[in-house]
């Protein structure tokens, strides 16, 4: 570890995650370009064209997770860089549902490889503060969405420039993270450091607690990412500039994750997840019934809820199920993105046939289920900790 430049690797990782996050915000803006008022795709078709961003992400994480141990973190990181570059170029030339689908697939694979490589790398170089540093790393997912949302607003709405220029801005952080990773020495994964065999790692992902967390990841990811990805359609009738609301939500998320350490210390990961589910439910329910300035209040409550979902789910697995290794983190991230790939076209169909308020109420059922699930998780963890204390 002495030869590894932790600070540079962490900085490069954060910028790589900014690229991933900016694609989410820019894709949300592209809904208006390719949708009914643009080239004429229905919202359901847009949903299908965007799904590769999520199941491509899933595929990359599920394949990339095990390969992180065998090929190494470095090679997976450079695969992320190459597929990101291809996906951005193809997006610039997209003119139809099919070409947008293919471009989004490459972007999704690049995004997945970023998570597959860099989550276990951060868990490896910051073994004493895994959940804290994963939250700090994931500051730049909402942070990158804020950047992407503001870029989209400034380029297209303020300056009146083409959507291609908006997409081309992705090359700036792409080149920066490539330059920062260039020539660096990467660590081996924590599973390799611990000496856990590949077979034991495979067995560990079938533990009931891990399976429970995977199921919960389906719901936490859909609660956060499906709603924010379709924010243009969900809030178009209740506020003038939904993309700015997206920037506001993610600004709150970035701030919260930057100071997650103190919250983690007080609530522990299981308590944090319960807190998140409660606020997410309240926020979605309010968003379904308010308009004007009250949308900002409801969006703030929703943002407080989803702030800790993704990194704390990963941190919980890294902290309490470390033997699952890079595979465990990849399965978690993959499950989250797969759920969004399933939900997006369903939401598109609902939006074509129902009001945004009705769709938001339906989506609020997901965090309601999570409240019950995380109440159970808290009781289980308290019992488990008390038994360990007694022994």
């Amino acid at each position: 570890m002495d030869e590894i430049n932790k600070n540079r690797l962490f900085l490069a990782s954060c910028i790589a995650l900014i690229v991933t996050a900016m694609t989410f915000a820019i894709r949300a803006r592209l809904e208006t370009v390719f949708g009914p008022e643009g080239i004429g795709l229905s919202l359901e078709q847009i949903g299908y064209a965007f799904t590769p961003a999520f199941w491509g992400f899933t595929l990359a994480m599920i394949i990339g997770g095990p390969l992180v141990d065998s090929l190494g973190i470095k090679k997976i990181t450079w695969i992320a860089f190459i597929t990101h570059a291809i996906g951005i170029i193809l997006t610039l030339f997209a003119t139809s549902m099919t070409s947008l689908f293919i471009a989004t697939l490459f972007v999704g694979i690049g995004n997945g490889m970023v998570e597959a490589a860099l989550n276990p790398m951060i868990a490896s170089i910051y073994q004493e503060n895994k959940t804290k540093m994963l939250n700090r790393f994931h500051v730049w997912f909402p942070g990158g969405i804020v950047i992407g949302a503001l870029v989209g607003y400034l380029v297209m709405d303020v300056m009146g420039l083409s959507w291609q220029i908006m997409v081309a801005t992705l090359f700036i952080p792409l080149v920066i993270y490539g330059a920062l990773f260039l020539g660096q020495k990467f660590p081996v994964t924590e599973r390799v450091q611990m000496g856990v065999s590949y077979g034991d790692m495979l067995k560990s992902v079938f533990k009931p607690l891990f399976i429970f967390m995977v199921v919960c990841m389906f719901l936490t990811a859909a609660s956060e990412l499906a709603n924010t990805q379709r924010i243009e359609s969900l809030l178009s009738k209740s506020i003038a500039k939904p993309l700015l609301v997206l920037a506001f939500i993610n600004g709150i998320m970035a701030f919260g994750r930057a100071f997650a350490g103190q919250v983690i210390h007080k609530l522990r990961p299981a308590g944090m997840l319960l807190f998140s589910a409660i606020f997410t439910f309240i926020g979605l329910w309010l968003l379904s019934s308010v308009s004007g300035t009250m949308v900002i209040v409801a969006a703030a409550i929703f943002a407080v809820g989803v702030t800790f979902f993704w990194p704390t789910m990963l941190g919980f697995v890294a902290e309490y199920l470390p033997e699952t290794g890079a595979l465990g983190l990849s399965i978690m991230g993959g499950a989250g993105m797969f759920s969004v790939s399933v939900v997006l076209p369903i939401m598109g169909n609902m939006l074509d046939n129902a009001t945004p308020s009705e769709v938001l109420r339906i989506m609020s059922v997901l965090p309601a289920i999570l409240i019950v699930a995380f109440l159970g998780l808290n009781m289980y963890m308290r019992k488990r900790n008390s038994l360990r204390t007694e022994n």
Side-chain angles (χ1 to χ4, degrees):
M1 285 288 187
D2 293 337
E3 299 176 13
I4 293 171
N5 190 334
K6 292 183 181 181
N7 291 335
R8 180 163 171 168
L9 289 180
F10 186 76
L11 176 60
S13 299
C14 292
I15 297 174
L17 194 60
I18 286 174
V19 175
T20 293
M22 284 182 69
T23 67
F24 279 76
I26 287 172
R27 192 163 47 246
R29 188 65 177 84
L30 288 177
E31 184 168 302
T32 61
V33 174
F34 287 85
E37 297 180 2
I39 70 168
L41 297 179
S42 71
L43 293 177
E44 184 176 9
Q45 287 177 312
I46 288 285
Y48 281 113
F50 284 174
T51 54
F54 300 96
W55 60 254
F57 188 114
T58 302
L59 183 67
M61 289 202 74
I62 299 301
I63 293 175
L67 290 179
V68 166
D69 288 320
S70 55
L71 293 181
I73 295 171
K74 184 175 184 177
K75 289 181 181 177
I76 300 299
T77 301
W78 284 113
I79 291 173
F81 177 85
I82 292 167
T83 49
H84 262 159
I86 294 171
I88 295 167
I89 292 168
L90 291 176
T91 302
L92 288 170
F93 292 97
T95 57
S96 64
M97 177 181 169
T98 300
S99 56
L100 183 61
F101 179 96
I102 295 169
T104 307
L105 174 60
F106 276 94
V107 170
I109 291 172
N111 293 348
M113 289 297 182
V114 164
E115 292 265 351
L118 302 181
N119 282 322
M121 185 188 77
I122 289 167
S124 177
I125 62 178
Y126 297 107
Q127 294 182 26
E128 302 302 318
N129 300 292
K130 295 175 192 175
T131 303
K132 176 182 175 181
M133 294 309 294
L134 282 168
N135 266 282
R136 286 191 177 176
F137 170 50
H138 282 275
V139 162
W140 295 106
F141 191 81
I145 289 179
V146 171
I147 294 168
L150 291 177
V151 165
Y153 174 70
L154 291 172
V155 170
M156 295 190 66
D157 297 316
V158 176
M159 301 171 70
L161 300 175
S162 71
W163 64 267
Q164 287 94 342
I165 292 176
M166 174 184 68
V167 172
T169 61
L170 289 166
F171 284 115
I172 298 170
L174 178 74
V175 171
I176 293 172
Y177 93 70
L180 285 171
F181 277 130
L182 192 65
Q184 295 302 294
K185 182 173 181 179
F186 288 70
V188 296
T189 62
E190 190 179 16
R191 194 270 296 177
V192 173
Q193 291 179 36
M194 291 170 62
V196 176
S197 70
Y198 192 81
D200 288 339
M201 180 180 71
L202 289 176
K203 290 177 185 177
S204 67
V205 299
F206 291 99
K207 290 183 175 180
L209 180 58
F210 181 77
I211 294 171
F212 171 82
M213 294 304 293
V214 170
V215 173
C216 289
M217 193 69 171
F218 273 82
L219 303 179
T220 59
S223 297
E224 176 191 345
L225 296 175
N227 289 301
T228 53
Q229 186 70 95
R230 306 224 71 153
I231 200 163
E232 285 278 353
S233 300
L234 289 170
L235 299 184
S236 60
K237 295 183 179 179
S238 55
I239 199 164
K241 296 292 182 183
L243 203 62
L244 293 182
V245 178
L246 180 65
F248 173 71
I249 289 170
N250 284 276
I252 291 174
M253 292 172 66
F255 180 82
R257 289 179 183 180
F259 298 96
Q262 296 178 5
V263 183
I264 293 166
H265 179 72
K266 290 182 179 179
L267 295 179
R268 300 279 188 181
M272 248 176 122
L273 292 170
L274 176 58
F275 166 91
S276 298
I278 293 169
F279 273 77
T280 302
F281 170 76
I282 295 171
L284 283 177
W285 188 261
L286 287 175
L287 281 170
S288 73
S289 56
V290 299
S291 60
T293 55
M294 282 303 296
V295 170
I296 302 301
V297 176
I301 295 170
F302 170 76
V304 170
V306 298
T307 289
F308 303 111
F309 264 157
W310 188 279
T312 304
M313 292 292 286
L314 296 178
F316 184 96
V317 170
E319 189 169 338
Y320 296 107
L321 295 158
E323 65 277 11
T324 61
L327 177 61
L329 292 176
S330 293
I331 290 173
M332 288 291 290
M337 287 299 174
F338 178 73
S339 76
V340 180
S341 75
V342 173
V343 170
L344 276 184
I346 295 173
M347 287 183 74
N349 181 266
M350 288 192 293
L351 286 163
D352 284 332
N353 298 284
T355 67
S357 293
E358 290 170 333
V359 176
L360 283 164
R361 288 193 194 103
I362 292 170
M363 293 300 292
S364 71
V365 173
L366 303 184
I369 295 170
L370 286 167
I371 292 172
V372 177
F374 290 143
L375 274 170
L377 180 64
N378 272 269
M379 289 187 286
Y380 169 78
M381 293 305 294
R382 285 175 188 168
K383 183 178 179 181
R384 172 171 149 164
N385 291 336
S386 64
L387 287 172
R388 287 190 173 180
T389 302
E390 291 174 5
N391 293 332

